[in-house]
Amino acid sequence: MGKISKSTLNKVLLRTQACQFAHNYERMQSLSITYCLEPVLKELYKDRPKEERVHALQRHLEYFNTHPIAIPFILGIATALEETTDEDHKDTVVGIKASLMGPFAGLGDSLLNLTWFPIAGSIGASMCVNNGSIVGPIVMFLLINLLYWPLKYFGLHKGYEQGMALVEKAGMAIFDRLGNLANVLGVMVTGSLVATAVKLKLGIKFAFGEGDPLVIQDQLDKILPCLLPVAVTFICYHLLKKGQGKNSAQIIVGIIVIALAFAALGYYVPALKIFA
């Protein structure tokens, strides 16, 4: 550990919790990053002229955007470089910080948003889908944060202790490999969620004489189980992709309205039989 105290690093860690509150369309997370690094710069430049302290803050206002959970990793490395780099070469710190944001963003999206988040959500949903228990959302919240907080703490402190060596040991290619593996795992998790969380069955029956009625849902299950949930999922995906996600609220409301309409139909017409 160098000049930066552990308490200062913990202040940076706490400030990363608000890193998504100061977005702007010109430089994205630049204000947040500068706010997070302010305790470090304040400690490093406490005995330096005011102009140097101002310039230290200004150079970190350059464009920056990455996954929020990856920010502590990059800040830890940037802190180590700020401490060990000469004043004439401080632009190197900004350049390295910018070069890390892309790989870490892809890794965070793949491993966390597209993998761990659906896993935690599926576990929570399975606990409340039948009885509406509040335990499900609480478990999901705990699972997400029980992974996120250790990652952020380890990333910040380990990044500061090892600096660029943390990245150079494995090489930048490791991020691409981990991202591809996480994408495969995320697709598998999403596929399992379609089969377990999306519920849709046909209640149509055809009665022939005195024999047992022909249940359409049983025939569909013999051909391809979970055919209707998969079809609904693909329709929602197509609509979301077509609207670029801006129509998500309309899709959710539409699904709720359709579900209520079918529920009312099933209540008032409990058994719909078509005789041949």
Side-chain angles (χ1 to χ4, degrees), residues 82-103:
E82 279 282 356
E83 184 179 347
T84 56
T85 306
D86 295 334
E87 196 65 31
D88 294 336
H89 300 88
K90 290 293 186 179
D91 290 341
T92 305
V93 181
V94 180
I96 292 176
K97 187 183 71 173
S99 66
L100 291 175
M101 66 181 182

Side-chain angles (χ1 to χ4, degrees), residues 40-54:
V40 169
L41 298 176
K42 184 177 181 180
E43 185 168 339
L44 287 175
Y45 287 86
K46 60 183 178 180
D47 298 325
R48 309 290 285 274
K50 180 180 178 181
E51 291 76 11
E52 290 188 10
R53 296 199 301 270
V54 172

Side-chain angles (χ1 to χ4, degrees), residues 124-137:
S126 65
M127 294 182 174
C128 62
V129 68
N130 293 325
N131 53 15
S133 174
I134 191 64
V135 175

